[in-house]
Amino acid sequence: MYEFTIIVPVYNEEDNLERVEQELLAYTKIATKKTAILFVNDGSVDKSEQLIKEICKRNEAFDYISFKENRGLSAAIKAGFDHVSTQLLGYIDSDLQTSPEDFNVLLEHIGEYDLVTGVRADRKDSFVKNMSSRIANGIRRAFTHDGMDDTGCPLKVIKTDYAKRIPMFKGLHRFLPAMILLQNGKILQVPVRHFPRIAGKAKFGLWNRLLGPLMDCFAYLWMKKKYINYEVKQKE
């Protein structure tokens, strides 16, 4: 009965989860598509798993899967892709530096496009974080030619059949628009709001925000060369 599923990766976010529940529950009441929530607990070692279970128990539209151990953001997103059954899916970080309400902005465009991603306007991050992200995005654009200014924005809507065809690898969450282009899909970026983190700790430092993505670019080029894409002309 749902049309849209929001994937929420979680790793040690016990201080944020009550607020996550409140904001996502409020969004389900104003969403332009009937919306379900899927938490992906990425092997948290704090109280996140317990809190997620309690949230899902008291909210019909909320569900979860839980990893045995921490496998990283790309793995959590991939698990979400694998378990979603609605025609549309979205993704948001559990730090809530973006607002679930802005999913309605992205959903306005998803009919014509296969992926719509947010661009964080007026970012509320430190100078070092902003600058390293800007450099990383510039390097990635030079490799992928996807035209996207902010692929690290944790607010996206994707047609599920396209998402399920993405061959994920570690770090690929930064390359989702490029992977849709490899399927001859259409992509769009739309400005969304950005907020400072008010609880919990950031999971990415200078290495995995700047140097890590540079290494991932070479993995993307290898995949692009080997990627299989086809259309069936006729079948009986």
Side-chain angles (χ1 to χ4, degrees), residues 43-152:
S44 296
V45 294
D46 62 359
K47 295 180 181 178
S48 293
E49 182 173 9
Q50 176 185 341
L51 293 171
I52 288 171
K53 290 179 179 179
E54 293 171 0
I55 290 169
C56 293
K57 187 175 181 179
R58 60 178 174 255
N59 294 288
E60 182 181 0
F62 288 60
D63 205 351
Y64 78 95
I65 55 178
S66 193
F67 287 177
K68 292 176 63 176
E69 57 188 2
N70 176 243
R71 304 302 296 169
L73 181 56
S74 292
I77 294 173
K78 167 63 172 171
F81 289 175
D82 290 344
H83 285 79
V84 164
S85 58
T86 52
Q87 291 187 345
L88 297 173
L89 61 84
Y91 152 54
I92 190 170
D93 276 354
S94 51
D95 60 16
L96 288 183
Q97 286 194 255
T98 51
S99 171
E101 292 182 7
D102 286 341
F103 275 120
N104 283 348
V105 178
L106 305 187
L107 286 167
E108 289 179 13
H109 304 279
I110 196 63
E112 182 181 354
Y113 294 90
D114 304 301
L115 174 146
V116 182
T117 182
V119 178
R120 290 167 285 190
D122 190 23
R123 286 186 64 173
K124 307 298 183 181
D125 289 322
S126 68
F127 173 81
V128 172
K129 186 174 181 180
N130 284 336
M131 186 56 62
S132 60
S133 293
R134 184 175 300 179
I135 294 171
N137 273 302
I139 294 171
R140 179 198 41 73
R141 279 196 306 273
F143 278 80
T144 65
H145 305 288
D146 61 10
M148 299 288 103
D149 297 316
D150 185 17
T151 59

Side-chain angles (χ1 to χ4, degrees), residues 181-198:
L181 289 178
L182 284 183
Q183 300 180 47
N184 298 319
K186 296 178 65 177
I187 62 177
L188 178 70
Q189 57 184 0
V190 178
V192 296
R193 294 170 294 169
H194 190 245
F195 306 91
R197 176 187 268 273
I198 63 174

Side-chain angles (χ1 to χ4, degrees), residues 10-45:
V10 177
Y11 179 60
N12 294 345
E13 292 285 1
E14 62 181 6
D15 294 332
N16 268 321
L17 285 171
E18 181 178 351
R19 180 167 159 255
V20 169
E21 176 188 13
Q22 293 171 353
E23 293 210 16
L24 288 172
L25 185 61
Y27 173 69
T28 62
K29 297 176 181 178
I30 64 167
T32 55
K33 303 283 185 182
K34 189 167 179 60
T35 300
I37 312 298
L38 177 63
F39 288 109
V40 182
N41 175 35
D42 183 18
S44 296
V45 294

Side-chain angles (χ1 to χ4, degrees), residues 170-188:
K170 187 175 182 180
L172 196 70
H173 60 274
R174 304 180 184 95
F175 293 83
L176 296 179
M179 296 307 298
I180 300 300
L181 289 178
L182 284 183
Q183 300 180 47
N184 298 319
K186 296 178 65 177
I187 62 177
L188 178 70

